[in-house]
Amino acid sequence: MTRRAVVVGTGHYLPQRVVENAEFEATLDTTDEWIRSRSGIERRHFAAEGETTSDMAAKAAERALADAGLTADDVDAIVVATSTPDLTFPSAATMVQSKLGMTKGFAFDVQAVCAGFVYALSNASALIASGQASRVMVIGAETFSRIMDWTDRSTCVLFGDGAGALLLEAQEQPGTNKDRGILATDLNSDGRYKDLLYVDGGVSTHTTGHLRMQGNQVFRHAVEKLASTANTALDRAGLSAADVDWIVPHQANIRIIQGTAKKMGLSMDNVVVTVQDHGNTSAASIPLALSVGKDRGQIKEGDLIVTEAIGGGLAWGAVVLRW
Ligand code: UT7
């Protein structure tokens, strides 16, 4: 038997304020048509004044607990993937721990920008497999609206805020690739590409900074690296793209999502797409898409899922799991 991390609950939270592409036409030299055709984004949510990453993360986590029929006392650990925590420290995860009223266990953040949720899932799976935790709440939550340069049309129209959560539980499975739970992961980074996507500020440089991106350069890396990491993770699980029910990709650009599916030989009928409604929510995009995909009735128990993401670093990776 093999101890696997199985998803037993999902939840997501999107802030109330919805911003349609057309709103940017008033302040920027851009159009709804350009944003839609180049990225697939139609609208995104922005957090309210005073609404923080840990607020959104806690709401998503509460929904995942309710979905699983469990309470915070049943959770051993919280992992939050974010690049936009409320404060420099403590971690957003410890703030979520307190907001959930959880007084035991441990909590920490993972920072791998848009690949953060894949990194967090991989860490949570290892905590469960090693016996250090039996239930782990894995959350992706971001307030990228706080690090936008609102005069830079090439970035500020692309990102949004939100949070998604998965509750993982240790379950003994037969130990084959038909098991439920996380079957394989693949993580990569290459710091030589750090200048393609970064925030030009931080604690040791005395500013908060704004997101800077050479979008077309990131794009060039994306499809190849995403298809490659997804195939590597599938290979590790002893599976292939033909076995996949759903690709649940990082939601940055519909053209990247389509290109990756095509490179993997899969149809868009096998892809959960939320980019039109959420924009790019960085580490929150995959758990948001998983939770929405489940609510839509797309993702069902037993489905084989590949998640894949790439972002600043560059950092990229994939997780193969059976729902
Ligand atoms: O999540 C982390 C990983 N990030 C990504 O995966 C993002 C990857 N990149 C992308 O999604 C795309 O590269 C973008 C959507 C950012 C841009 O699409 P693109 O097809 O690569 O366009 P581009 O950057 O090559 O720009 C084409 C033109 C430029 O004008 P010129 O130089 O050809 O005259 C830009 O100045 O589009 C212009 N442009 C805009 N025009 C209208 C850039 N932003 C805008 C805008 N509205 N908002």
Side-chain angles (χ1 to χ4, degrees):
M1 298 293 275
T2 301
R3 193 174 151 97
R4 301 271 194 204
V6 176
V7 178
V8 292
T10 59
H12 66 272
Y13 172 83
L14 289 157
Q16 214 178 354
R17 183 172 166 221
V18 178
V19 175
E20 302 286 339
N21 289 345
E23 275 198 43
F24 291 102
E25 293 176 359
T27 52
L28 291 169
D29 179 15
T30 192
T31 58
D32 171 45
E33 202 284 326
W34 189 94
I35 301 168
R36 227 176 249 260
S37 62
R38 303 315 292 166
S39 72
I41 298 165
E42 297 172 24
R43 60 193 64 81
R44 75 287 291 137
H45 294 245
F46 285 151
E49 197 60 41
E51 189 171 39
T52 66
T53 292
S54 74
D55 291 336
M56 296 191 294
K59 285 183 177 136
E62 276 165 9
R63 290 172 188 177
L65 283 172
D67 185 44
L70 295 168
T71 68
D73 288 338
D74 300 316
V75 179
D76 303 313
I78 299 174
V79 186
V80 175
T82 189
S83 302
T84 47
D86 305 24
L87 300 176
T88 302
F89 69 76
S91 65
T94 52
M95 295 185 183
V96 173
Q97 188 184 23
S98 136
K99 283 174 184 167
L100 294 179
M102 179 179 155
T103 53
K104 66 176 184 70
F106 59 98
F108 62 96
D109 290 357
V110 165
Q111 207 272 54
V113 205
C114 298
F117 193 75
V118 165
Y119 275 61
L121 268 187
S122 181
N123 273 279
S125 175
L127 287 172
I128 285 177
S130 67
Q132 285 193 70
S134 292
R135 288 203 192 94
V136 184
M137 183 67 78
V138 192
I139 307 168
E142 302 278 18
T143 41
F144 262 49
S145 61
R146 307 279 199 259
I147 51 167
M148 289 298 111
D149 173 351
W150 298 111
T151 65
D152 178 7
R153 67 176 184 172
S154 72
T155 53
C156 74
V157 302
L158 301 173
F159 293 88
D161 302 335
L166 297 191
L167 183 57
L168 300 179
E169 180 179 86
Q171 288 185 10
E172 293 296 330
Q173 296 281 317
T176 75
N177 61 20
K178 297 205 165 30
D179 288 357
R180 288 188 69 202
I182 294 178
L183 301 174
T185 69
D186 180 56
L187 304 180
N188 311 269
S189 65
D190 190 339
R192 286 176 301 172
Y193 298 115
K194 65 183 169 44
D195 296 335
L196 297 188
L197 175 49
Y198 64 100
V199 171
D200 60 1
V203 183
S204 64
T205 52
H206 305 295
T207 58
T208 305
H210 294 112
L211 182 144
R212 307 292 174 203
M213 177 167 73
Q214 295 178 43
N216 50 10
Q217 297 298 317
V218 177
F219 196 112
R220 280 191 352 167
H221 287 278
V223 171
E224 196 195 313
K225 287 185 164 53
L226 290 172
S228 162
T229 186
N231 283 327
T232 301
L234 281 165
D235 198 43
R236 257 176 216 157
L239 295 162
S240 72
D243 299 306
V244 172
D245 293 298
W246 294 105
I247 305 178
V248 184
H250 172 47
Q251 310 280 326
N253 186 313
I254 191 67
R255 293 183 293 139
I256 294 175
I257 294 171
Q258 288 163 338
T260 307
K262 190 171 172 201
K263 205 166 178 71
M264 292 178 70
L266 288 167
S267 138
M268 284 301 288
D269 294 343
N270 299 104
V271 185
V272 176
V273 180
T274 55
V275 68
Q276 69 282 6
D277 295 326
H278 302 167
N280 183 344
T281 58
S282 190
S285 92
I286 288 175
L288 267 165
L290 285 166
S291 181
V292 167
K294 185 179 134 184
D295 290 355
R296 282 180 188 157
Q298 291 177 303
I299 298 173
K300 297 192 191 64
E301 189 169 318
D303 283 354
L304 187 76
I305 291 169
V306 179
T307 66
E308 30 85 345
I310 186 166
L314 296 173
W316 67 102
V319 174
V320 175
L321 70 153
R322 194 175 300 282
W323 202 257

